[in-house]
Amino acid sequence: TNMKKIALLTPFDTGNIGTVLQAYATQTLIKENGCETDLIYYHYDSIQKPFLISNLFKRGLKNYIGSIAGFLMRSPARKSLWRFIKTHLNLTEKMTHEQLEELAGRYDKVIVGSDCVWNGEAFTLETAYLLDFIEDDSKKGNFASSFACDAIPDEQKEIFMRYLSRFPILSVREDKGKELIRELTGKEATVVLDPTLVKDSFFWTEVAAESKLQITGEYIFVAEYAISAPLLRDAEKLAERYHLPLYFLYPPKGKKAKGKVLLTSSPQDVLYLIQNAKFVFTDSYHMMIFSINFSKEFFAYQTKTNLPAISKYHSILKILHLERRLFPTESMMQNPVDIQKCPAIDYGAVSEILEKERKVSKDYLDGVLK
């Protein structure tokens, strides 16, 4: 066959469910374009191994402890996450940076995927995600990449300029990324949707159907990654008002709250939990995105942890006219907005915008793969 062979380079095993699902969505979109695709099994230690003492020096004590806490909080789900990876992703053998160049030779193109791949802030800058191992610029592509921060540290600007200017065309996941690329290279990037949103609810419903969970009756789903007392207070308020149980993905943090904690949830379980919830409370970007995909009443919260990368939340919510569903509560004990007075989301209007945006995103990817 004359199928194009595409290698995808994107994070997938950081222990974060959104990261796995964005890798799966991107892989699927490339396949639907009539290409063969493999996901490059490559990772860098500063995410993978939070205990490395070198991370302490790179990130400072607070970030170091934070990343370990996050790692431990997510580790009970590790088994189910890897089961998903093994059954849904086409992985290459595990690669070191030195092996990437040789690997790239086997493919027509290498696409660097979405998520926080151009993240100079949290980790040592990983130049593999800037495709530094490919000589031939025409083999380079990217889709929905994110900087995960609102400004590039000065000492990294030169590296970003050098590598990003070598991509024939670029796409980003948020407006802020478009500005950064214009600033660094003078190029105009296309703003596309996060890959998980390019795939619609029909697609994710099939994945959710693989879950073994069976919850009868209505409930409220709480996916609280960082500490947020306002989020928990609001969730409890609605739980009382509607007499609904709370289901937590992670243990509640910031105040005591009663409910069932589902620490070992697989990606399929999480999709099931969002799809079947009456309300979703979260501070996570991808949990918010899936709530939108499944047309859920959701409430999203700013915390000290998601604040540095909050532009990705603003960007998508602005496009969909849902800005009022993100509450700037990062330094508050409670939300000044009474969420019970929030008008219901008009998902008819949201779907119309999404249809248009999905087309823009697919057309962009189509152009890269051609």
Side-chain angles (χ1 to χ4, degrees), residues 23-255:
Y24 180 48
T26 309
Q27 176 185 286
T28 305
L29 289 163
I30 294 171
K31 278 186 184 163
E32 287 171 349
N33 228 291
C35 302
E36 277 179 51
T37 180
D38 294 316
L39 185 60
I40 300 174
Y41 187 172
Y42 175 78
H43 64 211
Y44 56 113
D45 286 341
S46 58
I47 305 187
Q48 245 51 52
K49 302 184 179 150
F51 300 97
L52 285 182
I53 227 46
S54 57
N55 281 345
L56 173 58
F57 298 113
K58 275 184 284 212
R59 303 188 65 182
L61 186 63
K62 207 172 137 197
N63 280 343
Y64 179 69
I65 291 169
S67 70
I68 287 175
F71 181 83
L72 294 174
M73 184 173 78
R74 294 194 288 257
S75 61
R78 229 179 143 66
K79 245 210 210 87
S80 62
L81 210 61
W82 267 98
R83 235 190 332 268
F84 182 92
I85 289 168
K86 290 200 165 90
T87 50
H88 294 70
L89 301 177
N90 305 348
L91 292 183
T92 64
E93 63 275 26
K94 202 168 174 181
M95 292 284 150
T96 62
H97 196 276
E98 293 71 52
Q99 293 170 304
L100 288 172
E101 189 175 347
E102 192 270 319
L103 173 88
R106 297 183 232 160
Y107 294 90
D108 297 303
K109 258 207 170 115
V110 180
I111 304 280
V112 58
S114 88
D115 235 36
C116 312
V117 287
W118 296 337
N119 183 346
E121 199 166 71
F123 318 105
T124 24
L125 180 61
E126 179 47 81
T127 49
Y129 289 121
L130 293 163
L131 303 187
D132 64 345
F133 55 93
I134 299 177
E135 282 300 303
D136 178 355
D137 292 349
S138 69
K139 287 180 77 165
K140 296 176 185 180
N142 91 300
F143 188 60
S145 305
S146 178
F147 288 93
C149 55
D150 292 346
I152 303 287
D154 284 341
E155 67 277 10
Q156 292 177 352
K157 282 190 174 145
E158 206 271 314
I159 302 173
F160 274 113
M161 276 161 76
R162 179 173 359 137
Y163 289 117
L164 289 179
S165 57
R166 292 182 54 184
F167 282 78
I169 52 174
L170 286 158
S171 64
V172 287
R173 192 176 60 183
E174 46 264 345
D175 297 330
K176 192 76 208 166
K178 188 181 169 80
E179 282 168 39
L180 287 172
I181 282 181
R182 187 186 293 137
E183 218 174 282
L184 290 162
T185 66
K187 288 181 187 253
E188 283 304 311
T190 308
V191 178
V192 295
L193 296 173
D194 186 88
T196 59
L197 203 46
V198 182
K199 295 305 299 166
D200 63 17
S201 62
F202 295 109
F203 176 79
W204 296 115
T205 296
E206 285 182 21
V207 184
E210 298 170 12
S211 168
K212 305 267 191 294
L213 287 177
Q214 284 178 310
I215 300 174
T216 47
E218 294 189 313
Y219 61 89
I220 293 171
F221 180 52
V222 181
E224 182 209 24
Y225 279 68
I227 296 167
S228 181
L231 185 159
L232 294 172
R233 281 211 164 84
D234 283 353
E236 286 184 316
K237 209 187 281 177
L238 286 196
E240 251 168 67
R241 180 180 160 182
Y242 293 98
H243 306 293
L244 295 176
L246 293 172
Y247 283 84
F248 294 96
L249 183 56
Y250 299 118
K253 297 166 287 296
K255 79 182 285 297

Side-chain angles (χ1 to χ4, degrees), residues 21 200-213 215 217-223 247 266-281 286-298 347:
L21 293 174
D200 63 17
S201 62
F202 295 109
F203 176 79
W204 296 115
T205 296
E206 285 182 21
V207 184
E210 298 170 12
S211 168
K212 305 267 191 294
L213 287 177
I215 300 174
E218 294 189 313
Y219 61 89
I220 293 171
F221 180 52
V222 181
Y247 283 84
S266 66
Q268 295 95 321
D269 295 338
V270 172
L271 291 172
Y272 174 98
L273 285 161
I274 294 173
Q275 186 185 15
N276 296 292
K278 187 165 171 70
F279 302 105
V280 178
F281 288 85
H286 277 109
M287 301 295 146
M288 176 180 86
I289 291 294
F290 281 112
S291 302
I292 293 168
N293 227 339
F294 284 126
S295 306
K296 293 289 150 184
E297 291 295 326
F298 73 91
Y347 272 109

Side-chain angles (χ1 to χ4, degrees), residues 355-366:
E355 280 312 296
K356 289 196 191 86
E357 291 294 331
R358 284 185 176 126
K359 189 172 170 0
V360 171
S361 302
K362 285 175 177 166
D363 288 349
Y364 173 84
L365 188 59
D366 200 38

